[in-house]
Amino acid sequence: MSEPVAANPFASIYGTIFGPLFFSTLMSTGLYGVACMQTAHSGRFYYYVHYPNDSLRMKSFVAAMWSFNTIHVALTIAGVYKYIMATLVNPAAVLVEIPELAIQILSAATISMPTQGFFVYRIYIFSGKNIVAPILWSIQMIYQFVAAILWVAKSLHTVDGTVQAVGFTELTDSFFTNLTISSLALAAGVDILIAIAMTFLLFQSRSATGFASTVHILQRLIMFAVNTGIWTATFALLASIMLHVFPSNLIYVLFGIPLGSIYCNTLLANLNARSYIRGDPVVDNIGAELAMGSPGASSDPKTMIQSGDIKFASSPFMNIRKTTEAITFTDMDRSQTTQNTV
């Protein structure tokens, strides 16, 4: 007669650990697919296909963010896979974190901080090079980076030359919990402030012009400014709240792990939406940049259409000229692009 199978003493916690990890990995992977489409696929909102004239610095920045996102998603998938496989072999392994899941926290920071910096730089230009926003962002960036390093360093150790992570029971102590909550809350606060600052500056520009076409462009810019911070701030706040309310399980990672991919998609969506914001009927090869343009971009007036030019508006960040044949845009880096109208 066969011996009865012993009950798994850890089965009761599987749902609050594997469930959030599984669904957060699915969400992060799906968002990574969207980021890949936004980066190089052909279509209306895809960066390298429709903006080949952007500066090398901007293209390199986008490539770096996509690469960091790739690393982040790869670490997440590898960590979750190893975690599940280890638990199938030894149920007690559910109490030990996988190193890849610890390192992905640092990889997420390499996406969120530069993306926030991109939008802070945009605020810096729009506000007439006011240094308040860059200084505040620099302070929180240092905290975020140091916090991520401390979190990873304290959660990893070596045993016989093999890198291992601490147990999940240790991750619930006040050091890890307070560090994670403060980092997520600070990131959410920065995203909200970025959205508010951008909206305020754009409303100022909107009230300064009476031309319908310029107002329409600014209305679209305001919509994207709000969307810039709303999704990242929402996920960061939900993750910090879930960790505060349920510190003994991993429900918070349902909102925390996808944050890296959300930041990457937010950046790409803002870059790819430039033609939509201008109201172009189709996307052409447009070299205008709303931020981080090449300092060596040409500003030769000979490249502009002279016949019938009417200056519509002047704002701190955009100069729009319209003719019966073409529209010329001059962006913050003083690079100019022309697109034929119907």
Side-chain angles (χ1 to χ4, degrees):
M1 187 173 181
S2 62
E3 301 237 349
V5 178
N8 185 346
F10 306 103
S12 60
I13 64 173
Y14 281 179
T16 57
I17 292 180
F18 291 134
L21 281 174
F22 175 75
F23 286 110
S24 63
T25 303
L26 281 182
M27 193 182 307
S28 186
T29 305
L31 289 169
Y32 173 69
V34 175
C36 289
M37 292 180 64
Q38 286 203 82
T39 303
H41 198 274
S42 60
R44 181 173 176 83
F45 289 119
Y46 305 122
Y47 180 72
Y48 284 111
V49 173
H50 292 292
Y51 297 93
N53 296 326
D54 276 6
S55 67
L56 178 61
R57 179 169 58 171
M58 177 62 75
K59 291 178 180 179
S60 300
F61 179 67
V62 171
M65 290 302 98
W66 178 85
S67 299
F68 290 148
N69 192 22
T70 301
I71 294 171
H72 173 70
V73 174
L75 286 170
T76 301
I77 294 173
V80 172
Y81 173 79
K82 289 183 178 181
Y83 190 33
I84 294 175
M85 291 298 104
T87 305
L88 290 176
V89 175
N90 177 17
V94 73
L95 300 177
V96 181
E97 191 188 19
I98 300 298
E100 286 83 352
L101 291 178
I103 298 173
Q104 64 87 22
I105 292 175
L106 184 58
S107 70
T110 62
I111 305 171
S112 62
M113 290 186 296
T115 301
Q116 288 177 338
F118 171 86
F119 293 116
V120 169
Y121 178 83
R122 185 179 277 184
I123 292 172
Y124 169 72
I125 296 298
F126 289 3
S127 62
K129 297 189 176 181
N130 189 309
I131 63 172
V132 174
I135 290 175
L136 293 177
W137 171 76
S138 298
I139 294 172
Q140 74 85 31
M141 180 198 68
I142 293 172
Y143 176 83
Q144 294 270 49
F145 190 66
V146 171
I149 292 177
L150 287 176
W151 203 102
V152 174
K154 193 171 177 61
S155 65
L156 298 178
H157 61 276
T158 58
V159 177
D160 297 329
T162 303
V163 177
Q164 296 184 5
V166 299
F168 274 116
T169 53
E170 296 178 57
L171 293 179
T172 59
D173 68 24
S174 59
F175 174 82
F176 289 106
T177 302
N178 293 338
L179 199 62
T180 305
I181 291 176
S182 62
S183 296
L184 289 170
L186 189 58
V190 170
D191 292 332
I192 292 172
L193 289 176
I194 287 173
I196 292 174
M198 288 287 292
T199 303
F200 173 75
L201 291 170
L202 290 168
F203 262 115
Q204 277 191 324
S205 299
R206 183 176 181 270
S207 61
T209 179
F211 296 96
S213 59
T214 303
V215 169
H216 186 60
I217 289 176
L218 291 172
Q219 286 174 337
R220 291 187 174 186
L221 281 169
I222 291 169
M223 179 189 69
F224 272 89
V226 173
N227 283 326
T228 292
I230 191 67
W231 290 109
T232 52
T234 298
F235 270 67
L237 281 176
L238 287 174
S240 61
I241 291 171
M242 290 297 103
L243 180 56
H244 179 73
V245 176
F246 305 105
S248 60
N249 57 49
L250 294 181
I251 292 178
Y252 78 96
V253 304
L254 184 62
F255 305 101
I257 287 180
L259 261 176
S261 295
I262 293 175
Y263 273 110
C264 185
N265 275 285
T266 298
L267 170 68
L268 290 168
N270 273 265
L271 289 174
N272 289 332
R274 286 173 287 174
S275 293
Y276 165 76
I277 289 171
R278 290 193 296 260
D280 297 342
V282 293
V283 177
D284 291 327
N285 294 339
I286 299 170
E289 294 183 14
L290 289 178
M292 294 183 70
S294 170
S298 171
S299 58
D300 185 0
K302 293 180 180 179
T303 61
M304 299 175 59
I305 294 179
Q306 302 294 330
S307 174
D309 273 357
I310 301 176
K311 186 174 182 179
F312 266 26
S314 178
S315 70
F317 60 95
M318 184 179 290
N319 180 24
I320 305 174
R321 294 177 181 271
K322 184 174 182 180
T323 71
T324 56
E325 298 178 352
I327 301 175
T328 301
F329 293 92
T330 303
D331 296 307
M332 66 174 66
D333 64 340
R334 295 184 176 84
S335 63
Q336 298 162 346
T337 56
T338 302
Q339 180 173 350
N340 292 332
T341 59
V342 178

